[in-house]
Amino acid sequence: MKNALNCSVTINLDGGDGEIIVSDKNQTLIISIGLSAITLRNFFSDLSDLYTYKKTKFKLEHYGSADYYLFVRDSNVIRIEEVRKPGGRDIYKFNLMDFLLTFEKGFQKFFAKLKKDGVLPLDDGMDDFMYPVNKDVTDSFNSFSKNLKK
């Protein structure tokens, strides 16, 4: 029986820091991100590359901290190592497709709420490069989401 995964996304639109929580009944992964405008665009692209085997691993940096996350694809499993500096490491394992689809669903809910709240679509003047959910971020998410449907 598969574990039901959940994903929630919180991003501070004023500062760009955020948190992505992916959990099942056995484990809770909390991904802390900074500089969302850069981090998310690259994160969606790296996850797409992992899904399509263009990459088998990648590192997600937490800007403003020495901590990072190492994402490794091993067949149909994704292993995520949370590495904390100066010491400490936690390892999470999920079914790759369950993780990617749950992650996508979490961001769909997040973007839908931003649309409902009138934040998206962005006004022409708001599409600043450093705005946490700028056009590059939404385009990268849409590409990631489209890739999963192939």
Side-chain angles (χ1 to χ4, degrees):
M1 185 171 135
K2 288 185 181 180
N3 292 332
L5 288 178
N6 295 303
C7 178
S8 66
V9 177
T10 306
I11 296 174
N12 178 337
L13 298 179
D14 291 329
D17 290 342
E19 193 173 77
I20 305 160
I21 301 172
V22 180
S23 63
D24 61 19
K25 69 178 184 171
N26 300 316
Q27 56 191 344
T28 300
L29 167 65
I30 301 173
I31 301 170
S32 298
I33 57 171
L35 297 178
S36 296
I38 297 168
T39 305
L40 288 177
R41 178 188 67 220
N42 294 336
F43 193 21
F44 296 135
S45 178
D46 287 337
L47 285 172
S48 287
D49 288 350
L50 201 69
Y51 172 66
T52 59
Y53 273 109
K54 289 180 184 171
K55 292 182 179 180
T56 56
K57 64 182 174 181
F58 70 89
K59 185 178 182 181
L60 176 68
E61 308 259 0
H62 173 61
Y63 291 95
S65 164
D67 299 352
Y68 66 90
Y69 305 87
L70 183 62
F71 289 75
V72 180
R73 179 177 182 163
D74 183 9
S75 187
N76 65 345
V77 172
I78 186 168
R79 185 180 78 242
I80 303 157
E81 296 181 34
E82 177 184 9
V83 180
R84 293 178 303 283
K85 300 287 181 166
R89 178 182 303 248
D90 291 317
I91 298 175
Y92 306 86
K93 291 182 182 179
F94 299 98
N95 174 281
L96 178 70
M97 282 310 297
D98 290 347
F99 178 86
L100 294 176
L101 292 171
T102 300
F103 183 86
E104 178 199 30
K105 185 177 177 183
F107 270 93
Q108 284 174 341
K109 286 181 184 177
F110 172 73
F111 289 131
K113 182 176 181 340
L114 291 182
K115 286 179 185 175
K116 181 182 174 207
D117 293 347
V119 175
L120 291 178
L122 296 173
D123 296 333
D124 289 334
M126 283 296 294
D127 197 23
D128 180 19
F129 172 74
M130 288 309 292
Y131 190 69
V133 289
N134 63 28
K135 186 171 177 358
D136 287 343
V137 169
T138 56
D139 286 351
S140 185
F141 173 76
N142 291 334
S143 178
F144 163 73
S145 186
K146 184 179 176 183
N147 221 357
L148 289 180
K149 309 264 187 286
K150 288 182 181 179

